Amino acid sequence: MSKHIGILTAGGDSPGLNAAIRGIGKAALRKDMQVTGFLDGFRGLTENRSIRLDKKALSGILTVGGTILGTSRMKPHKMLMGGRTRDMTDTIVENYNRHHLDCLICLGGGGTMKNAYRLHQKGLNVLSLPKTIDNDVWATDRTFGFDTAIGIATEAIDRLHSTAHSHHRIIVVEVMGHNTGWLALGAGIAGGADVILIPEIAYDVQKVADAILRRVRRGSHFSIVAISEGAMNKQLSPRFHAAEQRKHAAREAMDKEAKAAASAELDIIEQERKGHTLRVSNQLEELTGLESRVTILGHVQRGGTPSAADRLLASKLGTAAAELVEQGTYGVLVADRGDSYEAVPLEQAVGRRKVVPLDHPWIATARRIGTCLGDK
Ligand code: F6P
């Protein structure tokens, strides 16, 4: 009997999602499989809202941004239903069986992968595909969405240069990336930012001001500071890393109380971090005597048509996922590996975040150019 695949997209949307859906669908239809898309992430699977992904539905979506299936950040075990948070895992299992699915393919980032793994532990056949503009999914070379976002952020930095230069100003540009600096570092180098601040390297605002003043002494009266939304100063960074370690240890020890305490501390830190871009801009004005402005790139980095590289990656991983279903390989992340792909068991990939290693070539590149990373 032919196989039946379910697909959902969860978490923040990302350019390339439709290319991946198309890749899975087209490859599956050629093998006489049936494909159903569930709407709005795990919520649609819970509420049994779906569409048939036939040839017509898959046509013309390769270049379209967002996701034709809609998305949400709802988790199966913590779903907001009628104003209450409920564990809807059993309903999801029922709906999976009602549709006689052979596999559920979840397109998302680290959180989605964790949710897919939970369903796998409940006996469902699942696959996970790595999408996010943050590029922070463990065990994959790249995530789709990242290349498009880096292009958008780079173009924005390019454009900020001429206005910063004309007005002899500092412009502090905030780049997305959650708790990792891939996007700010990549776009910062490609766009020629003078300072790049990322979560992996705690910054000292005085050091940033010194770097800007050195530029002034050399005759450059403007500076572009690319700052990750997750960047932290020397005071906040050690607290964040300590709380993250406590949370990880509590999860391993299955200590719910300690995990809740560490999560609460992380929430407090998140609150303290809010508005940091404007604070850095104000501090730099004070310390350098130059005028400073803030640009927050925000969701523009996630919108619109995917780059060619993202279409290619999403198509590669999508078609690979259909191949894995045909083989009956489940419970894996379909990871990008060089020109090919690798099926990485979910238990090896969940609960880990791929941060920028301090010895990464991009960091060395930035330092060799003379870009200030906020620590020296
Ligand atoms: O994970 C993608 C991402 O765009 C992050 O870079 C950002 O921190 C977050 O999503 C924003 O989430 P939301 O769209 O829910 O505000």
Side-chain angles (χ1 to χ4, degrees):
M1 225 171 76
S2 71
K3 290 189 172 174
H4 185 184
I5 298 178
I7 307 179
L8 60 81
T9 55
D13 71 326
S14 190
L17 275 170
N18 291 324
I21 294 169
R22 173 181 175 271
I24 300 169
K26 288 210 164 200
L29 293 183
R30 284 177 52 118
K31 297 285 175 186
D32 292 324
M33 297 188 221
Q34 188 188 327
V35 191
T36 297
F38 291 92
L39 304 178
D40 304 331
F42 292 101
R43 181 175 272 289
L45 183 53
T46 309
E47 295 169 348
N48 200 14
R49 289 187 288 116
S50 65
I51 54 168
R52 182 90 186 258
L53 291 174
D54 54 14
K55 200 165 170 283
K56 187 158 174 270
L58 296 168
S59 163
I61 64 170
L62 175 64
T63 59
V64 178
T67 159
I68 58 162
L69 296 177
T71 185
S72 72
R73 292 199 183 272
M74 290 288 158
K75 301 172 181 172
H77 66 298
K78 275 186 198 165
M79 198 160 298
L80 199 62
M81 303 292 288
R84 275 198 313 138
T85 305
R86 294 172 57 188
D87 184 346
M88 300 306 288
T89 309
D90 290 344
T91 308
I92 285 182
V93 173
E94 266 169 40
N95 285 337
Y96 177 99
N97 290 327
R98 179 173 299 156
H99 283 269
H100 303 290
L101 294 182
D102 291 285
C103 179
L104 175 69
I105 305 182
C106 304
L107 280 57
T112 303
M113 184 161 62
K114 208 186 278 176
N115 291 323
Y117 183 54
R118 283 197 186 98
L119 296 178
H120 181 57
Q121 287 175 312
K122 289 279 174 184
L124 304 193
N125 292 332
V126 301
L127 291 179
S128 186
L129 255 67
K131 75 86 204 146
T132 164
I133 63 163
D134 304 337
N135 196 37
D136 62 350
V137 176
W138 186 262
T140 184
D141 289 358
R142 282 287 159 95
T143 58
F144 55 86
F146 178 61
D147 183 76
T148 309
I150 225 176
I152 296 168
T154 301
E155 196 200 326
I157 295 173
D158 288 350
R159 288 178 184 278
L160 290 171
H161 260 101
S162 56
T163 171
H165 178 262
S166 305
H167 284 267
H168 319 295
R169 279 174 176 160
I170 299 168
I171 293 191
V172 185
V173 50
E174 184 184 291
V175 181
M176 274 189 171
H178 198 216
N179 284 319
T180 59
W182 293 107
L183 203 48
L185 183 60
I189 295 171
D194 308 293
V195 178
I196 305 174
L197 305 178
I198 60 173
E200 291 83 351
I201 300 176
Y203 67 81
D204 177 342
V205 78
Q206 182 63 58
K207 299 244 161 72
V208 176
D210 292 345
I212 291 172
L213 288 172
R214 274 198 300 277
R215 280 175 51 75
V216 171
R217 283 196 294 277
R218 290 196 303 262
S220 298
H221 295 268
F222 73 98
S223 282
I224 301 286
V225 179
I227 180 169
S228 282
E229 60 179 354
M232 286 166 286
N233 61 23
K234 287 208 148 62
Q235 287 72 45
L236 208 54
S237 177
R239 279 175 55 203
F240 173 81
H241 291 293
E244 276 230 311
Q245 264 172 20
R246 282 203 301 280
K247 188 172 172 184
H248 185 73
R251 198 187 296 126
E252 298 276 291
M254 292 201 281
D255 182 340
K256 278 193 177 165
E257 239 172 71
K259 188 170 164 238
S263 298
E265 167 73 354
L266 286 168
D267 287 346
I268 293 169
I269 292 167
E270 183 72 40
Q271 284 308 316
E272 287 180 33
R273 193 161 55 178
K274 276 214 167 89
H276 70 139
T277 301
L278 183 59
R279 271 198 303 279
V280 166
S281 170
N282 290 341
Q283 286 169 330
L284 290 177
E285 273 199 344
E286 232 169 74
L287 293 169
T288 64
L290 293 174
E291 235 186 354
S292 181
R293 292 288 187 272
V294 164
T295 299
I296 296 179
L297 298 183
H299 291 82
V300 74
Q301 293 160 105
R302 272 186 6 207
T305 192
S307 67
D310 274 338
R311 293 180 208 178
L312 196 54
L313 176 58
S315 301
K316 179 178 83 172
L317 299 183
T319 54
E323 192 170 83
L324 290 170
V325 175
E326 199 192 357
Q327 292 167 9
T329 304
Y330 303 120
V332 298
L333 168 76
V334 188
D336 176 37
R337 191 71 71 240
D339 285 338
S340 188
Y341 75 91
E342 192 182 323
V344 179
L346 285 176
E347 60 267 30
Q348 285 176 22
V350 290
R352 307 172 84 170
R353 191 171 62 238
K354 191 178 83 173
V355 297
V356 183
L358 294 180
D359 60 355
H360 192 274
W362 286 3
I363 291 187
T365 303
R367 291 205 196 277
R368 285 198 294 262
I369 294 166
T371 310
C372 168
L373 298 179
D375 57 339
K376 11 182 139 145

